[in-house]
Amino acid sequence: MKLPTTSEVLFSLKCIAASLLALYVALAFALPRPFWAMMTCYIIANPFSGPVRSKAVFRVMGTVLGSVATVIMVPQLANAPELLSLALALWVGFCLFISLLDRTPRSYIFLLAGYTAALIGFPSVNDPSGIFDVALSRVEEISIGIVCGSLVHGLVFPQSWGPIMLGRVSHVIRDIQQTLTDVFAGSERDQLQKDKRMLATDIAELRNLSIHLPFDTSHLRWTAGAIYSMHERLSILLPLLSGIRDRLEQLRGSAQASSNESAMTEWNALLTRIQDWATLSTQDAEKIGQRNEEKRRIEDAIEQLTPQIHAGATWTDLLQLNLARRLTALLRVMDDVLTLYKTIEASATGAFPVLQNQPVRQSSLVTPLHHDYWLACISAAAAIVAILCCCLFWIETAWPSGSVAAMMAAVFCCLFAVQDDPVPSLKTFLYFTLASVPISAMYVLWILPTAHSFETMALCISPLLFVLGIYLARPQYGLKSLAMTLGVLGSFALQESGAVDVGVFMNATIGQTIGVIAALVFTALIRSVSAGWRANRLVAAGRQELLELTTNMNVPHIDNIAAKMMDRVAQLAPRISAATEPPLGNEPQHIDALLDFRMSLNVVELLNFQATSTPALSAIKPLLEQLRQHFSSTPTSPLSASQISESQCLLTCLDATIHQLTSNPVLNDESNTDQVNVAPLLNALTALTALRRDLFPDANAYVPLLTPINPVVPTPSDE
């Protein structure tokens, strides 16, 4: 067995100190179930002070909300236990539904509000007269546990979340630089897919870690806004790199096919400069100046390599235009990311450099995220059915501890609902809860009755809590240790202070076990889904987002679209790897999770151009209609060779729109220097080129049309 480390011992000792302090205060105030305060300390326990304080704040809010709901419901339905049980079950389901849709730290408020109502309400069904006192006592007990846990973990040798966060940010920067190297070098497709999955996972982890940062005890908590802003820029970076890789592959292939590989020499030299620039230090002041100067020189070089676009522009010209503008965007995003990284790293030491021209998001709570309403619905349904079945058994048998089963069903349906398949975790919790029963019986029936003072009780409990705390600090044993800890402390908490009875203990233990089994069974029947099913849902949601964009008259903010699509990409990558059935009929290795992301950003660019003028509207509207029909009827992308012929109308419309824009007098007038009018056209052409590549990767190259073709808006009969 591995010996405990210093940090594990310290964590366990702090958990013991916090829980005993909470127990002492609860006993001093003569609260009816003081072990609730003790158990709360372990529920919010974490080796790092930031997550403890974050969880504590939202736990208090959720407990108060759940208690208020119970005080309102129970007196109104006191004479109808069946209706009261139904009302409590529906409340738990509703709160779980809202919690799963929120997906931010505040979701814990709704989760707690749901099962707190169950913990308070079900024991009061047969005796509703004292509901206010019970609710008030529960809020007091839990609040005492939260305050004691937060104080001990936050003041006694606090372990800061900052170094972990800073290490993750540094890791993300290194992964970006590695991905940049592989993209520019034209590495094998498998390696690039690995890089993209790794970077998507990094970005998702960065968001998950940053949600606790404002509650941390280190200086880094003041940089939460900078980290949220970095996450936004990283969300744009991944599709940018994916698009650049595709353009480089096409241009290199064309140069090789024409035996004119020298055509890529200048571009390859430019890529080397960008790669070197991205690795320049962000700390040394001299190198920062060099980096800024080199960025300006690289931008000038990109402009010189960008071909002049006119009516006769070739497909190679358009690909080079696309590459040039993507590289310019990459420089700006990378510069933002490196500047924000410098700010975050400097702030860790107490220095707070002023960000110049860097809009900083103030909160992660407003970041647009993907929401799966159907999954939230079936999760709520599983909880409601499990609770009602326990209540039906309770009412029919008049079992005194039936309320315990209903309570535990509510708690365990909520705790693991965020997982694709909660059944394995529920089984683990059930097994180790059962394993805790002999220990609980020994303490409740033998050891605790002999403890006639708080000091004796503390000496009796501490050795067990010390061992459990050591394993609680180890990730591979965390869930098992938590099940054992809550099993023991839960058996204490289910007893009224001073009322120890074999029959009560056995009934409570059986009720607790039945509640967990009910949660497990109905979760398996109603709620459990496979990784492939979730992957299908995520892919379908991305396609639906594309469809909605093509019918949207208002231009959405590109950062919001990027954040939501990036969230899907980050969720999709690990599920494709774990899926036993290929998402949407494709082999996992052939699924490009960034394809829909790239197309969404390009459609937004077209919407931006469409909003600039009436001529722009007439040029883009027919294409958007064709895209709408395509996304509503085509389940997969990119298209195969046989599907290309079936979508010839869309390809023709894309080529016609490209020709219409390249023939614009603004681009063909050599005397025109008004970049205000040129920039939107070039942005739109960049988006059109990317869409053509994404939708028709195997199609013949675009050829300038000698005779303009006016795109036709399809009529309803064409659909």
Side-chain angles (χ1 to χ4, degrees):
M1 185 181 70
K2 179 185 174 183
L3 292 175
T5 64
T6 303
S7 60
E8 290 170 350
V9 170
L10 179 61
F11 170 71
S12 186
L13 291 175
K14 288 198 293 185
C15 288
I16 293 173
S19 61
L20 291 179
L21 176 61
L23 179 62
Y24 179 82
V25 173
L27 288 171
F29 282 99
L31 295 176
R33 296 194 177 184
F35 284 100
W36 274 98
M38 192 176 198
M39 186 168 63
T40 299
C41 291
Y42 276 90
I43 292 175
I44 68 168
N46 192 287
F48 301 97
S49 56
V52 171
R53 297 166 72 180
S54 168
K55 212 172 185 181
V57 170
F58 293 119
R59 186 172 177 83
V60 170
M61 296 172 68
T63 301
V64 171
L65 179 59
S67 301
V68 170
T70 309
V71 170
I72 292 173
M73 282 188 285
V74 171
Q76 300 296 326
L77 302 171
N79 297 323
E82 296 85 357
L83 289 178
L84 179 55
S85 299
L86 176 62
L88 288 170
L90 291 175
W91 171 258
V92 173
F94 171 75
C95 290
L96 178 58
F97 177 80
I98 299 298
S99 173
L100 291 174
L101 290 183
D102 191 278
R103 296 189 59 228
T104 67
R106 67 182 168 214
S107 65
Y108 201 54
I109 297 174
F110 303 104
L111 194 69
L112 261 294
Y115 67 72
T116 295
L119 292 172
I120 298 173
F122 284 119
S124 304
V125 168
N126 293 327
D127 184 20
S129 60
I131 183 61
F132 181 81
D133 292 334
V134 172
L136 181 61
S137 297
R138 200 66 68 248
V139 171
E140 290 172 342
E141 290 155 1
I142 291 174
S143 298
I144 288 171
I146 290 169
V147 171
C148 292
S150 301
L151 285 174
V152 172
H153 287 283
L155 298 179
V156 180
F157 301 109
Q159 192 167 351
S160 172
W161 192 245
I164 301 297
M165 192 72 236
L166 190 60
R168 175 51 57 186
V169 173
S170 301
H171 184 73
V172 170
I173 296 297
R174 289 194 298 272
D175 284 349
I176 290 172
Q177 292 169 343
Q178 180 60 50
T179 304
L180 202 66
T181 300
D182 291 339
V183 167
F184 287 175
S187 298
E188 293 295 327
R189 190 174 294 269
D190 289 345
Q191 178 60 41
L192 292 172
Q193 290 288 353
K194 180 182 176 181
D195 288 342
K196 287 189 288 186
R197 286 195 297 269
M198 177 180 62
L199 198 51
T201 302
D202 285 344
I203 295 170
E205 286 183 358
L206 185 64
R207 176 188 173 273
N208 292 335
L209 291 173
S210 66
I211 60 179
H212 301 295
L213 196 58
F215 301 91
D216 196 41
T217 54
S218 69
H219 291 298
L220 209 62
R221 68 183 180 275
W222 305 113
T223 66
I227 290 178
Y228 302 149
S229 297
M230 177 181 279
H231 182 269
E232 284 184 346
R233 281 136 177 96
L234 291 174
S235 298
I236 295 290
L237 188 63
L238 201 52
L240 267 178
L241 289 171
S242 180
I244 288 170
R245 193 273 310 164
D246 180 79
R247 305 304 104 84
L248 287 172
E249 187 180 77
Q250 285 297 299
L251 288 170
R252 285 167 177 163
S254 299
Q256 204 169 33
S258 62
S259 301
N260 185 24
E261 297 189 20
S262 61
M264 285 297 297
T265 302
E266 291 182 310
W267 283 108
N268 289 332
L270 180 64
L271 296 177
T272 302
R273 289 177 62 184
I274 294 174
Q275 188 176 326
D276 292 340
W277 168 82
T279 58
L280 280 174
S281 172
T282 58
Q283 292 303 302
D284 186 68
E286 182 180 344
K287 289 190 176 181
I288 292 173
Q290 292 177 7
R291 186 163 61 85
N292 294 336
E293 183 60 33
E294 178 64 5
K295 175 176 174 284
R296 286 190 288 270
R297 286 197 292 263
I298 292 173
E299 287 174 336
D300 292 339
I302 292 174
E303 188 175 352
Q304 291 174 6
L305 287 177
T306 305
Q308 185 69 35
I309 301 301
H310 48 77
T314 64
W315 183 233
T316 300
D317 292 336
L318 292 172
L319 288 174
Q320 288 183 337
L321 170 68
N322 187 288
L323 176 61
R325 299 186 81 79
R326 293 289 183 260
L327 288 175
T328 301
L330 175 67
L331 279 173
R332 292 171 183 168
V333 172
M334 280 294 296
D335 190 49
D336 286 349
V337 168
L338 293 172
T339 301
L340 289 166
Y341 174 59
K342 173 180 174 293
T343 302
I344 294 164
E345 200 169 35
S347 299
T349 61
F352 298 97
V354 178
L355 289 176
Q356 304 249 340
N357 303 319
Q358 291 287 337
V360 174
R361 181 184 284 276
Q362 296 303 315
S363 174
S364 65
L365 299 181
V366 295
T367 303
L369 299 173
H370 167 74
H371 302 299
D372 194 328
Y373 290 91
W374 175 245
L375 189 63
C377 278
I378 61 175
S379 298
I384 291 170
V385 172
I387 294 168
L388 289 179
C389 285
C390 289
C391 289
L392 179 63
F393 179 74
W394 173 24
I395 293 170
E396 290 297 320
T397 60
W399 180 30
S401 295
S403 61
V404 178
M407 289 161 48
M408 292 300 106
V411 170
F412 286 98
C413 281
C414 291
L415 283 180
F416 303 106
V418 71
Q419 300 176 0
D420 288 347
D421 185 7
V423 170
S425 295
L426 283 169
K427 285 182 178 178
T428 299
F429 229 93
L430 175 61
Y431 297 152
F432 283 87
T433 299
L434 291 174
S436 72
V437 171
I439 301 174
S440 301
M442 181 177 66
Y443 271 92
V444 171
L445 302 177
W446 176 41
I447 297 177
L448 292 184
T450 62
H452 299 294
S453 66
F454 173 78
E455 292 78 6
T456 307
M457 186 186 300
L459 287 173
C460 293
I461 297 174
S462 294
L464 173 65
L465 294 181
F466 178 76
V467 175
L468 291 174
I470 294 293
Y471 284 97
L472 193 61
R474 298 177 178 177
Q476 66 270 35
Y477 298 111
L479 183 62
K480 299 171 184 177
S481 179
L482 182 63
M484 289 282 288
T485 305
L486 297 187
V488 173
L489 296 181
S491 67
F492 299 172
L494 289 173
Q495 320 297 318
E496 291 288 345
S497 181
V500 181
D501 179 84
V502 175
V504 172
F505 171 77
M506 291 304 300
N507 270 295
T509 301
I510 294 171
Q512 186 176 6
T513 304
I514 289 176
V516 178
I517 292 173
L520 193 157
V521 169
F522 288 104
T523 296
L525 292 175
I526 300 173
R527 164 62 180 80
S528 292
V529 297
S530 66
W533 187 90
R534 285 299 304 275
N536 280 337
R537 297 278 299 170
L538 289 164
V539 173
R543 304 286 160 80
Q544 182 62 31
E545 185 97 42
L546 269 171
L547 179 60
E548 291 174 0
L549 282 174
T550 59
T551 59
N552 194 354
M553 297 304 295
N554 298 319
V555 182
H557 197 287
I558 196 165
D559 286 344
N560 293 341
I561 295 295
K564 191 182 294 186
M565 295 296 285
M566 186 66 245
D567 185 41
R568 290 197 189 100
V569 170
Q571 292 186 67
L572 187 59
R575 289 183 171 96
I576 287 177
S577 301
T580 55
E581 296 181 359
L584 295 185
N586 289 286
E587 292 300 323
Q589 62 269 27
H590 295 151
I591 290 287
D592 186 352
L594 291 171
L595 189 63
D596 291 342
F597 194 171
R598 297 201 309 262
M599 288 194 290
S600 295
L601 298 182
N602 289 319
V603 170
V604 171
E605 198 63 66
L606 292 179
L607 291 172
N608 279 320
F609 176 66
Q610 180 183 246
T612 59
S613 64
T614 302
L617 175 63
S618 64
I620 299 301
K621 185 177 180 181
L623 176 61
L624 290 176
E625 179 61 25
Q626 288 279 359
L627 288 170
R628 184 191 67 78
Q629 290 193 18
H630 170 77
F631 294 136
S632 63
S633 61
T634 306
T636 58
S637 293
L639 300 179
S640 64
S642 61
Q643 290 171 316
I644 288 176
S645 60
E646 298 173 5
S647 300
Q648 191 64 37
C649 185
L650 174 58
L651 180 58
T652 302
C653 188
L654 271 167
D655 287 349
T657 308
I658 291 172
H659 181 75
Q660 189 174 352
L661 296 189
T662 55
S663 302
N664 192 296
V666 173
L667 293 178
N668 290 271
D669 184 2
E670 295 183 0
S671 63
N672 178 47
T673 58
D674 188 359
Q675 293 299 317
V676 174
N677 292 329
V678 172
L681 273 169
L682 295 180
N683 289 339
L685 281 168
T686 301
L688 289 169
T689 305
L691 279 171
R692 194 182 192 277
R693 275 293 306 149
D694 291 337
L695 289 168
F696 303 100
D698 301 322
N700 293 328
Y702 163 80
V703 177
L705 302 176
L706 298 178
T707 305
I709 298 176
N710 293 321
V712 178
V713 180
T715 61
S717 60
D718 294 328
E719 299 180 11

